[in-house]
Amino acid sequence: MAYHDVPNKAIFSSHIKYLKSQYNIISIETLRESLLNDDVKLPNYSLLITFDDGYRNVLENGLPVLIKNKVSSCIFIITRYIDTTTNFWWKDVEVNGKVKGESSKEIRQTINKLKKITNIERIAVLNKTPSTEQKQLTSEELRYMKRNKMYVGNHTHNHPMLNNCSDDEIQNELEASKYLFDLWKIEGFEVFAYPNGDRTEKTDEILLKNHIKLAFLFDHSINSTNISSMAISRIKTNADMPLSELKVKASGLHSLISNLTLFRNGSV
Ligand SMILES: [Zn+2]
């Protein structure tokens, strides 16, 4: 399951209680062992809980629920934001859009456009966007999360879309995040989630060269029994959606219907 932020503790708690009752919630270490070792099989109905980007409310609202339920999870962080008050780049776009009176739809369109242009073009637009402030997670807090069964994985240094990056830009992203993981003495650099899920054959090669061992997609699919360690599927979910919706998503029914609809529309 791929979560982002956790705005509502009570709803998230209902998700975790449900998931715990229906699935075997596993840790990154268990998944890793089974993917890198042919003899180790995952339990039936295995499920891994992940959080992308490193939102502060994962620590504030999510972790207490996970600790209470004795559940493991993984958070994928964007290293440049840790120990800062710099807002995520898409939040800068959002806050500035709101100031200008743009609708949520317009703001979403601007962000989606930024995800499609080259990395150099994206940076040029962001350099012209006034920056906004947000207290981010600290490296000390990451160590606390890790001690409490929340694995800290890698979501690049700046959250670019890797399919829009040159080879050198991808290499620089990985080197910058590796430097900080080492500096903070946190293992986890080699467990990677693609920003926006954008993987290509080229990215696989560079990731492997940099000793990345597991890579997660954002493809809204359930893994088959034969999981590729460099392309692990995840179901998209929101921590504040009603439990009834979560049940449908966790079952795989939602991804099945979405993919069928895409197929019928000729989009895939
Ligand atoms: Zn992300």
Side-chain angles (χ1 to χ4, degrees):
M1 303 296 283
Y3 286 101
H4 283 89
D5 56 345
V6 183
N8 186 305
K9 195 172 172 180
I11 298 177
F12 182 66
S13 176
S14 73
H15 287 197
I16 295 305
K17 282 192 185 117
Y18 171 75
L19 293 174
K20 200 181 165 189
S21 73
Q22 300 294 314
Y23 299 89
N24 281 308
I25 301 183
I26 56 167
S27 63
I28 283 283
E29 288 85 354
T30 304
L31 177 68
R32 185 177 172 152
E33 209 187 326
S34 87
L35 291 183
L36 305 181
N37 187 343
D38 285 344
D39 303 334
V40 182
K41 293 265 173 289
L42 281 179
N44 286 336
Y45 301 103
S46 286
L47 182 136
L48 178 72
I49 294 166
T50 69
F51 303 89
D52 280 11
D53 302 334
Y55 283 88
R56 231 198 128 66
N57 59 14
V58 173
L59 168 72
E60 293 162 349
N61 297 336
L63 191 60
V65 171
L66 295 161
I67 291 175
K68 197 171 166 195
N69 288 281
K70 299 190 175 64
V71 164
S72 300
S73 62
C74 173
I75 186 165
F76 291 105
I77 56 154
I78 308 158
T79 44
R80 75 166 277 215
Y81 294 113
I82 302 302
D83 291 326
T84 74
T85 52
T86 309
N87 215 345
F88 297 123
W89 64 254
W90 58 93
K91 289 284 177 190
D92 279 345
V93 175
E94 195 180 307
V95 174
N96 283 291
K98 276 184 190 158
V99 169
K100 282 191 269 171
E102 291 174 9
S103 68
S104 309
K105 192 181 165 192
E106 284 171 317
I107 292 169
R108 223 174 23 248
Q109 282 170 343
T110 308
I111 294 172
N112 284 339
K113 226 182 272 172
L114 286 171
K115 289 180 177 177
K116 292 200 175 81
I117 55 181
T118 67
N119 197 41
I120 293 173
E121 290 166 334
R122 185 186 63 92
I123 292 167
V125 174
L126 293 176
N127 282 342
K128 283 190 244 151
T129 309
S131 49
T132 61
E133 290 215 337
Q134 170 67 48
K135 180 165 169 38
Q136 298 281 2
L137 291 169
T138 67
S139 44
E140 189 55 48
E141 286 164 343
L142 294 178
R143 282 189 284 271
Y144 167 79
M145 291 155 96
K146 189 137 197 216
R147 283 197 301 276
N148 285 284
K149 302 202 324 181
M150 184 176 277
Y151 192 92
V152 179
N154 175 10
H155 201 37
T156 72
H157 187 60
N158 290 294
H159 204 286
M161 276 31 78
L162 297 196
N163 58 329
N164 299 331
C165 288
S166 68
D167 291 4
D168 282 349
E169 283 171 326
I170 301 175
Q171 183 62 30
N172 290 342
E173 282 292 321
L174 295 172
E175 281 177 17
S177 60
K178 169 99 176 80
Y179 173 79
L180 289 172
F181 269 93
D182 288 349
L183 184 74
W184 301 327
K185 297 189 173 33
I186 296 173
E187 289 167 33
F189 165 80
E190 70 275 19
V191 176
F192 183 84
Y194 277 101
N196 211 40
D198 293 320
R199 166 192 181 234
T200 66
E201 275 175 31
K202 172 185 89 172
T203 56
D204 256 19
E205 197 183 304
I206 304 173
L207 259 54
L208 285 167
K209 203 175 75 192
N210 283 277
H211 311 291
I212 299 287
K213 298 284 191 302
L214 304 186
F216 288 81
L217 305 175
F218 191 59
D219 55 345
H220 202 46
S221 298
I222 285 193
N223 290 290
S224 64
T225 42
N226 225 343
I227 308 174
S228 156
S229 56
M230 294 306 285
I232 305 165
S233 287
R234 290 185 298 166
I235 292 280
K236 300 175 189 179
T237 186
N238 292 322
D240 58 349
M241 73 186 176
L243 183 59
S244 54
E245 271 181 51
L246 175 87
K247 288 181 182 177
V248 179
K249 290 209 168 167
S251 72
L253 198 59
H254 187 271
S255 81
L256 187 69
I257 292 168
S258 324
N259 291 335
L260 277 177
T261 311
L262 275 174
F263 185 67
R264 273 220 315 267
N265 293 340
S267 303
V268 281

